[in-house]
Amino acid sequence: MAERQEQAVPDAVLTRIGQVVMLHHGGDREEARRRLLDLWTELGEDGDPLHRCTLAHYLADTQDDPFDELAWDLRALTAAEEQGESPAVRALYPSLHLNLAADYARLGRAEAARTHVRRARGAAGVLGDDSYGDGVRAALSRMELRLGEGGAQDWGPAPL
């Protein structure tokens, strides 16, 4: 019973990250970036890997410079790898690799982008048949088509 209650308690850090993500989606990119960076400082390098992964994943989306976006997406992947094979982290791998593929494509590194597309596709089996899974699979298919049509040109924001 105590285990069930423990699982039902919301994760305060993930809740805070989610609140800032809503701010970002509402159009306040600068404030979202500032608040996410404050959370990153608060967590520290030794913070919970799932928290760092999630935070870095969203921090990447607030960056103006594609090299900075890549650096945050790489931090997210590193933190995910530290977490191990938990179901929560395994479900993030397709999106993490897809974002890295988009980063590399924007930077003109088509082969690195293709490598991460293959990794995203290999990890996609864990995705559920729900709106999140459907969205990641659709974005992955679009990325595969784009990379098959001559590589990295006119890349917009990361797909997820």
Side-chain angles (χ1 to χ4, degrees):
M1 183 72 160
E3 185 177 315
R4 280 190 189 171
Q5 287 176 341
E6 198 172 293
Q7 290 175 354
V9 174
D11 184 316
V13 174
L14 292 179
T15 298
R16 289 171 64 197
I17 293 168
Q19 290 168 339
V20 178
V21 169
M22 287 190 296
L23 179 68
H24 178 228
H25 289 170
D28 198 343
R29 183 182 182 119
E30 293 297 321
E31 181 64 15
R33 179 174 36 231
R34 186 189 67 72
R35 289 186 189 187
L36 291 171
L37 285 169
D38 287 348
L39 275 170
W40 182 262
T41 300
E42 185 180 317
L43 285 177
E45 292 295 321
D46 296 324
D48 179 89
L50 179 60
H51 293 159
R52 286 186 293 115
C53 174
T54 305
L55 188 52
H57 187 57
Y58 286 116
L59 255 165
D61 294 339
T62 68
Q63 301 306 304
D64 296 323
D65 183 287
F67 289 101
D68 292 338
E69 185 171 358
L70 173 62
W72 283 110
D73 280 329
L74 288 169
R75 284 182 188 105
L77 181 61
T78 298
E81 290 169 345
E82 290 174 22
Q83 182 72 19
E85 290 297 314
S86 76
V89 172
R90 282 198 323 263
L92 291 174
Y93 278 116
S95 181
L96 294 172
H97 285 294
L98 182 59
N99 282 1
L100 283 164
D103 295 342
Y104 283 120
R106 269 193 300 283
L107 294 170
R109 296 181 56 194
E111 195 50 47
R114 287 185 188 95
T115 295
H116 283 282
V117 164
R118 286 190 296 274
R119 290 178 183 164
R121 182 58 72 193
V126 302
L127 295 171
D129 289 327
D130 54 19
S131 61
Y132 175 76
D134 293 343
V136 173
R137 283 187 290 272
L140 181 54
S141 293
R142 287 191 303 273
M143 181 65 69
E144 288 169 329
L145 287 173
R146 288 176 182 168
L147 288 172
E149 295 178 355
Q153 299 173 8
D154 191 28
W155 294 92
L160 293 173

